[in-house]
Amino acid sequence: MEEMAGTYIGPHRIILNKNIENHGLGAHINTAIDRANGKIIIMAAGDDISLPNRVKKLHHYYSEDENVSAVFSNAVFIEDNGTPTQSDQKSYDDKDLSLIEISRHGGGIGMGASYSFRKTVFEWPQKYPCHINCEDKLLPLRASLLGKIKFCKEPLIKYRLSETGISRIITPKNSYISRPEHIGEQISTIKAGLRQKKIKREYAALSNRLISNRRRYYRLKDKANKIRTPLS
């Protein structure tokens, strides 16, 4: 990264930050957001590649509508060596990106690596919580409470299908989104939206129910796995 930043000769200013110690995902996010001067934050994981037109395409959605809080896109999948395998062909309309649908999908929808957000999403209702290690399932929930989420069907990133990537090793049993602290943070976020009148009470109740049901589902599934015995 130092080499890439040192050889960059474009019109933009690059701020390269290196933490002395590993502070974890949450604290690192907050450090990056504190250093950012822009109003739009475009996520860029270290093992993925943004296509050249990504920023321009995403910015179009924000400039068209000031109520847009997040934009995400499709992706081109690549192997560890960079060889393309296939392109994501998903499609979402506005009803698929509502608070209810976001809640039903565990706090986020679409590919987290392709997301961009307004800076306010990282700051409301407070700074990103350091104990939450899955921003993919919290930031879209915040964005749906603060405004609209939009989808760009065009692939704007190359998403690396690494065998050691976290998305390859997560299972429902060890998933961050099934942990009580994550579900509790999601419920607290919805309650903050209700207090500040960003949503109606019936929507808050339904979203809370969807998220709480997910907690109950994982508890029942874990219990069933413990009592299941192989057939003889």
Side-chain angles (χ1 to χ4, degrees):
M1 290 178 65
E2 289 179 342
E3 181 181 347
M4 293 174 65
T7 57
Y8 175 73
I9 56 174
H12 306 291
R13 183 167 66 101
I14 296 177
I15 300 175
L16 188 61
N17 176 69
K18 181 180 180 180
N19 297 325
I20 303 301
E21 298 178 356
N22 186 347
H23 296 152
L25 177 66
H28 178 68
I29 286 177
N30 288 330
T31 298
I33 297 306
D34 287 343
R35 290 176 177 268
N37 296 319
K39 295 181 180 179
I40 298 171
I41 307 296
I42 298 177
M43 309 301 279
D47 52 353
D48 303 325
I49 302 171
S50 292
L51 295 176
N53 61 336
R54 185 186 182 201
V55 173
K56 183 177 181 179
K57 285 283 186 180
L58 294 175
H59 182 264
H60 170 76
Y61 289 89
Y62 294 102
S63 60
E64 285 273 298
D65 187 346
E66 63 180 11
N67 291 316
V68 171
S69 293
V71 186
F72 69 103
S73 72
N74 274 325
V76 175
F77 296 103
I78 60 175
E79 297 294 346
D80 275 330
N81 61 5
T83 304
T85 58
Q86 65 186 58
S87 292
D88 206 359
Q89 299 295 329
K90 291 186 174 65
S91 182
Y92 304 93
D93 57 29
D94 288 345
K95 67 179 177 61
D96 296 322
L97 305 176
S98 66
L99 172 63
I100 299 302
E101 288 302 307
I102 294 293
S103 300
R104 192 168 70 85
H105 285 82
I109 196 168
M111 182 177 292
S114 73
Y115 264 85
S116 63
F117 302 92
R118 289 200 189 273
K119 191 177 182 181
T120 50
V121 174
F122 294 87
E123 301 168 332
W124 179 91
Q126 68 271 327
K127 281 188 173 185
Y128 187 88
C130 293
H131 64 287
I132 301 299
N133 291 316
C134 185
E135 81 282 5
D136 296 0
K137 298 297 184 180
L138 181 59
L139 294 177
L141 180 66
R142 287 183 170 191
S144 68
L145 288 162
L146 290 171
K148 304 174 185 175
I149 298 178
K150 291 293 184 179
F151 169 68
C152 176
K153 193 172 183 178
E154 180 181 348
L156 297 179
I157 67 166
K158 292 182 179 180
Y159 181 78
R160 199 177 302 274
L161 297 173
S162 173
E163 291 298 330
T164 58
I166 190 168
S167 60
R168 287 287 189 101
I169 60 176
I170 285 181
T171 65
K173 189 172 182 179
N174 67 16
S175 172
Y176 289 118
I177 66 172
S178 67
R179 296 179 181 176
E181 63 269 22
H182 191 100
I183 295 173
E185 187 65 35
Q186 291 177 321
I187 292 174
S188 295
T189 300
I190 293 173
K191 288 180 177 178
L194 180 61
R195 287 195 302 270
Q196 298 183 24
K197 299 183 179 179
K198 296 183 182 297
I199 48 172
K200 295 180 179 179
R201 185 171 296 276
E202 55 266 31
Y203 286 119
L206 179 54
S207 294
N208 272 331
R209 193 177 307 124
L210 288 167
I211 291 171
S212 296
N213 283 345
R214 193 171 75 252
R215 178 192 292 170
R216 193 173 301 115
Y217 163 77
Y218 283 115
R219 283 177 178 171
L220 291 173
K221 186 174 181 179
D222 188 54
K223 184 176 181 180
N225 287 335
K226 288 180 180 178
I227 64 176
R228 186 181 296 135
T229 55
L231 296 175
S232 57

